[in-house]
Amino acid sequence: TQLLEQSPQFLSIQEGENLTVYCNSSSVFSSLQWYRQEPGEGPVLLVTVVTGGEVKKLKRLTFQFGDARKDSSLHITAAQPGDTGLYLCAGGTGRRALTFGSGTRLQVQP
Amino acid sequence: DVKVTQSSRYLVKRTGEKVFLECVQDMDHENMFWYRQDPGLGLRLIYFSYDVKMKEKGDIPEGYSVSREKKERFSLILESASTNQTSMYLCASTKGTSPLHFGNGTRLTVT
């Protein structure tokens, strides 16, 4: 089983701070997705990256896929309480099902 | 908008009971998945199905089985529930390489 390790596991910050979440693996992925899950709901896709070195921006969120396609990062600028949730990375390998990371629980205090 | 509906939000069952978790999607997706979610472990794949009556084992299939008699419905079965199957269960569906669409989960407690 291919493993995706996320760090940190928990993060509690004040509104307005910046943060970065990391997703690392020893395996190469054909694509990498980031999801956010809020309490009582299923995960919802934020972004998909497919090319090594690719950078995508979604408002205050910046996603990067590593050059070797083994790692990814999510950077949030000026975090807001609405960013609170569980962030999950998921790697695609060509088989039909994604492999998910262990998750990063983010709490943004007002 | 795709809707994935899981029949129960909360279930409490006794050890040894047979448990059925139901999932229905309304967008004609061919692929359906069952994951379980535990703190610090992320989502782990139990089973998935890429067509009616087709199924494949995921990473943790032991103690579970599945049924897909119709394209829109994918059932997860715990033949004899055990306490270590207490968890959040998430169903998802997708078509081709489109993103996963998840249901809101079923929180199962086995006592």
Side-chain angles (χ1 to χ4, degrees), chain B residues 9-98:
Chain B
R9 291 300 297 267
Y10 300 95
L11 275 179
V12 180
K13 297 292 181 180
R14 293 197 180 275
T15 301
E17 279 193 77
K18 191 169 185 175
V19 182
F20 293 85
L21 303 183
E22 306 286 348
C23 174
V24 177
Q25 50 91 7
D26 65 359
M27 282 300 289
D28 200 37
H29 285 176
E30 66 264 18
N31 302 313
M32 297 189 74
F33 306 81
W34 276 106
Y35 288 89
R36 65 176 281 177
Q37 183 173 28
D38 300 288
L41 296 178
L43 275 65
R44 292 180 291 166
L45 181 66
I46 305 172
Y47 267 97
F48 63 102
S49 168
Y50 50 89
D51 203 350
V52 174
K53 296 191 187 294
M54 305 300 287
K55 61 185 179 184
E56 281 196 30
K57 293 181 179 180
D59 299 318
I60 53 163
E62 296 78 20
Y64 303 94
S65 62
V66 290
S67 172
R68 191 157 181 212
E69 296 297 317
K70 293 185 177 181
K71 192 173 186 179
E72 67 269 19
R73 185 181 296 271
F74 192 35
S75 303
L76 180 69
I77 303 155
L78 287 66
E79 294 290 341
S80 178
S82 62
T83 54
N84 63 13
Q85 293 178 309
T86 290
S87 186
M88 171 69 83
Y89 289 87
L90 287 164
C91 174
S93 72
T94 187
K95 187 179 186 73
T97 57
S98 68

Side-chain angles (χ1 to χ4, degrees), chain A residues 9-80:
Chain A
Q9 194 172 358
F10 300 100
L11 198 51
S12 181
I13 61 172
Q14 296 295 123
E15 182 175 359
E17 290 185 31
N18 302 332
L19 67 116
T20 302
V21 176
Y22 299 94
C23 175
N24 295 296
S25 175
S26 57
S27 303
V28 175
F29 291 98
S30 56
S31 65
L32 201 128
Q33 299 180 349
W34 284 91
Y35 290 79
R36 181 169 70 208
Q37 184 179 19
E38 299 187 23
E41 298 182 8
V44 176
L45 180 73
L46 295 173
V47 77
T48 302
V49 286
V50 297
T51 306
E54 183 177 0
V55 177
K56 278 193 175 178
K57 292 194 174 187
L58 186 67
K59 296 184 181 177
R60 292 175 295 99
L61 279 61
T62 302
F63 304 86
Q64 185 161 8
F65 201 12
D67 291 340
R69 289 185 287 129
K70 292 183 179 181
D71 56 271
S72 181
S73 64
L74 158 60
H75 182 80
I76 301 179
T77 304
Q80 304 293 311

